[in-house]
Amino acid sequence: MCPDARDGNPKTVCGLNEPMSKANDTESYSNESSHSTIPTTKPTTAALPTPKPILPVHTGVKAQEEEQSSGLTIFFSLLVIGICIILVHLLIKFKLHFLPESVAVVSLGILMGGFIKLIEFQQLANWKEEEMFRPNMFFLLLLPPIIFESGYSLHKGNFFQNIGSITLFAVIGTVFSAFIVGGGIYFLGQVDVIYKMTMTDSFAFGSLISAVDPVATIAIFNALNVDPVLNMLVFGESILNDAVSIVLTNTAEGFFSQSDTTTSGWETFLQALSYFLQMFFGSSALGTLTGLISALFLKHFDLRKTPSLEFGMMIIFAYLPYGLAEGLKLSGIMSILFAAIVMSHYTHHNLSPVTQILMQQTLRTVAFMCETCVFAFLGLSIFSFPHKLEISFVLWCIFLVLLGRAVNIFPLSFLLNFFRDHKITPKMMFIMWFSGLRGAIAYALSLHLGLEPIEKRQLIGTTTIIIVLFTTLLFGGGTMPLIRLMDIEDSQSRRKNKKDVNLSKTQKMGNTIESEHLSELTEEEYEAQIYQRQDLKGFLWLDAKYLNPFFTRRLTQEDLLHGRIQMKTLTNKWYEEVRQGPSGSEDEDDEAELL
């Protein structure tokens, strides 16, 4: 039986496929020629929807080869993360606190990439496929935990007090930066100063390169105890800016590529603005709704006596908005960010003390491993991808990125000072401009762009890597001397020696547990606290008066007693296991001294 007959087409007969197709062509031609005289009748039956194509599934030998390749990729990724963990441990052990972990991991990735390239050059091994950074893996597996942990560990008080300024910097400022970078690249290309790109490609690159990632700067801020408002403005803007940049890039990719060429420029701009607002507010509303549903669920379904089930539901609700938003063609990153903020503010206080600590430490561990993997592969990418370097394009892009950051910070800060009680000083403005480091999100977005021809994609990828490394190594390494020079740090940190400054984000996260995440207020204590805080205004007053009591469970004295017994039981169990071990101490004096 021929292949066409196996398809089950009743009109296809083996050996007669070509004549019948010619007959069909003749029939269609006669219908077209008589179209002007004989009216065609429309079929009364509704057209069936086109089924989605089923992705091919490899079987047999191909399936085994794909499984082996995936296994080697997982092994290589875990090996890289393990080496980076050892590096971070050595930084903490030998008190090399002056070096940010992100800079150290990127440098290690560069060295590992050079070593692997040397091995491949000697034809000893070929790890080209395993060391390749896959954008889909980044957006599906690595980025969601990082964004969720950022929103979950956010200091809610400072965030909501500065929500207007943060939103203005993250949304309006990012749009300004994207237009300046994209428009500059487009017009410079039109006058043949740099590589010529279309308006769509220029705006897409301007959007992705506007994603800031000041990981090293935030570590320096925490180490030097700078102004909390400055810390929150930079940190809050960075986590919201990541989501906005992804939405802008998706807007450029999805909308402009499908836009009608007959529409005017003004209509195209309005349609793109409508698409962006739909993505932004739709994703935010979906994430907020998911977080509120999780709070009500864990308030009315008491799972505190079974922490494993409780923790499982939290993990489900954490990733649920991302998958739903992507399925609805919205932004999963924007959705998971707002879900994390809402779940941390409401849902977290409905958990048992064991699950609260478990959730906090698990998120920090997973986010650390994902960030480490991303920064390591960023260094490896220098040797793992084919590059196209144009010096003029790179230099002009760096200039436009710095100019776009300046337009983002200085005019908007001057405008916000008319409405803020705590003014943004010129020193703070300069530090915020200097903190505009580019990171892994910009790099992953550059690989995700489907640009043609291939040399354009290579040029964008190479330029993005250079800008990320330039800002991370130069600006990230120069933030501490700049803060000391401009006298931004507080008086207590100023008296410290440079050796006492700790830039290890991992050590700080491992030694602390957020006190605001371990609330044990009863109904009476909560009402007394609200009565004492009469200075609350706006959303903070509405939240304290109505939203927080509605979405969170107020503990009774019995609940407090059960939680304390649960924590004490776990502590005693651990103590007994350690005491019975070979390294346990039987000296009662030592035990009394520790207690």
Side-chain angles (χ1 to χ4, degrees), residues 53 68 89 97 113 178 183 211 243 265 274 298 314 420 431 438 476 486 496 513 544 566 586 592:
Q68 292 174 356
H89 169 71
H97 301 319
S274 174
L298 290 175
M314 285 293 291
R420 290 180 58 90
I431 293 295
R438 269 55 180 179
M486 300 186 67
K496 289 183 178 181
I513 296 176
Q566 191 178 34
E586 297 292 341

Side-chain angles (χ1 to χ4, degrees), residues 50 74 77 111-112 166 170 176 197 309 419 443 455 533:
T50 304
I74 294 174
S77 301
L111 294 178
M112 293 175 62
I166 291 174
F176 283 172
M197 297 177 63
L309 300 181
F419 308 97
Y443 165 60
E455 65 174 9
R533 299 184 60 186

Side-chain angles (χ1 to χ4, degrees), residues 161 527-536 540-541 544:
Q161 288 176 1
E527 293 179 355
Q529 186 187 61
I530 296 302
Y531 179 77
Q532 294 174 359
R533 299 184 60 186
Q534 297 295 334
D535 57 334
L536 297 178
L540 294 179
W541 176 85

